[in-house]
């Protein structure tokens, strides 16, 4: 058997397996292809559906609700707020939730205006 040196690649004759003895060659002749593995099939992907999206949304909402409950439980202290003619004290968690909801309404209003612009542009074309 020839071992490759670090500087020289094997030739095809050197890389080939050794020949079988004549008595085994006839025995194995009928088994050609029997030792081959079956062709690999790509795993079938499960298509995404609306139901799977809703399921993901339900879990995301549940996690968000748990985080919200923890947030409210940890921020029960009162804070003093003054805005225009309103003046008073409310729990910190409530003040932050109101600010977050107001921010979400502003973002939705801006997004709605952009969607209306794009729909008008599509209708014109």
């Amino acid at each position: 058997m020839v071992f490759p040196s670090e500087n020289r690649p094997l030739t095809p004759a050197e890389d080939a397996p050794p020949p079988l003895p004549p008595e085994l060659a006839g025995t194995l002749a009928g088994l050609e292809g029997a030792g081959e593995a079956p062709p690999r099939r790509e795993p079938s992907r499960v298509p995404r559906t609306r139901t799977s999206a809703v399921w993901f949304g339900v879990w995301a909402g549940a996690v968000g609700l748990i985080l919200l409950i923890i947030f409210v439980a940890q921020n029960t202290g009162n804070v003093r707020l003054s805005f225009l003619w309103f003046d008073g004290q409310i729990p910190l968690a409530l003040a932050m939730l109101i600010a977050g909801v107001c921010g979400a309404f502003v973002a939705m209003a801006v997004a709605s205006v952009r969607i209306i612009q794009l729909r008008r542009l599509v209708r014109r074309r």
Side-chain angles (χ1 to χ4, degrees):
M1 174 163 244
V2 176
F3 292 101
S5 67
E6 292 183 20
N7 298 331
R8 171 179 85 79
L10 287 176
T11 63
E14 294 171 337
D15 196 27
L20 290 173
E23 60 273 3
L24 290 178
T27 307
L28 297 176
L31 299 176
E32 295 232 358
E36 295 178 11
R40 290 185 67 180
R41 291 188 314 169
E42 292 294 321
S44 61
R45 295 190 62 149
V46 177
R48 293 185 181 205
T49 62
R50 290 183 184 167
T51 306
S52 66
V54 169
W55 185 244
F56 177 77
V58 167
W59 277 104
V63 169
L65 186 60
I66 290 169
L67 293 174
L68 182 64
I69 291 169
I70 293 169
F71 171 77
V72 170
Q74 290 181 343
N75 294 287
T76 56
N78 284 340
V79 292
R80 182 179 167 92
L81 288 181
S82 297
F83 180 71
L84 298 176
W85 58 89
F86 297 110
D87 189 24
Q89 289 189 354
I90 62 172
L92 175 62
L94 183 60
M96 293 180 74
L97 288 174
I98 290 171
V101 169
C102 290
F105 280 134
V106 169
M108 286 189 297
V110 171
S112 297
V113 169
R114 180 64 180 150
I115 289 172
I116 290 169
Q117 285 177 341
L118 291 174
R119 285 184 179 172
R120 284 183 183 169
L121 183 67
V122 168
R123 269 192 241 139
R124 287 182 189 157
R125 292 183 179 182

